[in-house]
Amino acid sequence: MRFYMILSLLKKDLKDLMKNMSILPIIILPPFIAFIYSFIQDIPKEVMLPMWVLYGLAMVGIMIPGFTLAEEKEKKTLDSLLVSPATYHEIVIGKILFSLIMVMFVSLLVLAPNGGITGNQFLVWLVVILGALLFIQLGLIIGFYTESQVSASAMISPMMLFFVLSPVFMAIVPEFLKNIFEYLPNISILESVRSGILGEGFGQVWKEILTLVVWNVIAYFFTQRGVRHQFK
């Protein structure tokens, strides 16, 4: 694995991002909405911030790798990368690292201006990284199996709606569904970020952390299948 090649791929993805005006709002929207909601005094930050962190993780984590990979396939620029000195492993790792940097940047913009840099920050950022890696892999899987931004959008939109809106229905679904929902990765992210902001330790959320690890392992399996589908 060549670091200089991955760094070149990161620079390329950054240049492509700055040229693509349809992608830039994805990065701006989560911190902007979090900032607007910070003026609503009735919403405690331990309730508001985890929701907007989750929104940023899902939106940026899924959409950036999913859309950019589908766009490169649609415009045939991925073919150019494959005949370049970069290996397909370096291409995938470059996209994961670039998306991870963007997700962490957006999460910082959500947390820092709204009093979220408090409590157990190690726990908060561990959850951000685990959640980001999961959603990035989901975005890559979509990109591997779609041939255009339109088809990628058709898969990304309902997935994002599910991850962002399903916590809202926790209070009204039957009890047996609540027991299932507790093992969804988005619920684990919400609970863990909330615990971190409140200064709680790993003892309170070890099940949620384990749930995120398990979901990442499952996503890794399907990501590997997507890589074989795309490049072999």
Side-chain angles (χ1 to χ4, degrees):
M1 208 66 64
R2 297 165 296 179
F3 176 76
Y4 75 91
M5 184 59 66
I6 293 174
L7 184 60
S8 298
L9 291 168
L10 288 174
K11 291 179 180 178
K12 171 198 168 296
D13 284 340
L14 180 60
K15 289 179 181 178
D16 291 344
L17 178 69
M18 299 305 294
K19 294 176 182 176
N20 194 337
M21 298 306 295
S22 64
I23 298 292
L24 284 176
I26 296 172
I27 297 174
I28 297 170
L29 194 58
F32 175 75
I33 296 177
F35 178 74
I36 296 299
Y37 267 79
S38 68
F39 291 99
I40 303 176
Q41 301 298 323
D42 294 336
I43 305 178
K45 66 180 181 181
E46 63 269 18
V47 175
M48 175 192 74
L49 288 180
M51 191 65 197
W52 296 119
V53 168
L54 171 64
Y55 181 53
L57 289 177
M59 189 171 189
V60 179
I62 297 174
M63 293 182 79
I64 284 185
F67 276 147
T68 55
L69 187 55
E71 181 184 31
E72 287 176 347
K73 291 166 69 174
E74 189 175 11
K75 295 181 177 179
K76 308 300 182 183
T77 53
L78 185 61
D79 294 337
S80 301
L81 284 176
L82 291 174
V83 297
S84 73
T87 66
Y88 68 85
H89 281 114
E90 290 167 342
I91 294 171
V92 173
I93 290 173
K95 291 194 175 301
I96 291 173
L97 287 177
F98 177 74
S99 301
L100 181 61
I101 291 169
M102 290 295 102
V103 171
M104 294 185 70
F105 175 66
V106 169
S107 298
L108 182 63
L109 291 180
V110 169
L111 291 167
N114 301 300
I117 307 298
T118 185
N120 188 343
Q121 284 295 293
F122 182 77
L123 174 58
V124 170
W125 287 101
L126 174 64
V127 174
V128 167
I129 291 171
L130 287 174
L133 289 174
L134 173 60
F135 289 128
I136 289 167
Q137 289 185 93
L138 293 178
L140 284 174
I141 292 167
I142 291 172
F144 289 141
Y145 288 99
T146 54
E147 299 299 327
S148 68
Q149 285 187 304
V150 173
S151 56
S153 178
M155 296 182 66
I156 289 172
S157 298
M159 184 179 291
M160 275 193 52
L161 285 173
F162 173 78
F163 283 124
V164 173
L165 294 181
S166 56
V168 178
F169 298 105
M170 279 285 287
I172 61 174
V173 297
E175 194 64 33
F176 77 94
L177 280 179
K178 287 183 181 179
N179 295 331
I180 297 174
F181 274 32
E182 287 177 359
Y183 293 98
L184 291 174
N186 51 339
I187 303 300
S188 296
I189 291 169
L190 284 174
E191 295 299 325
S192 301
V193 171
R194 183 178 296 116
S195 293
I197 291 174
L198 291 173
E200 297 175 352
F202 287 89
Q204 283 75 24
V205 291
W206 68 268
K207 290 182 180 179
E208 286 79 5
I209 300 296
L210 181 59
T211 298
L212 287 174
V213 171
V214 170
W215 276 105
N216 268 285
V217 171
I218 295 171
Y220 178 78
F221 170 77
F222 287 101
T223 301
Q224 289 300 310
R225 292 192 63 176
V227 169
R228 290 194 293 269
H229 169 81
Q230 181 65 59
F231 298 110
K232 293 185 178 179

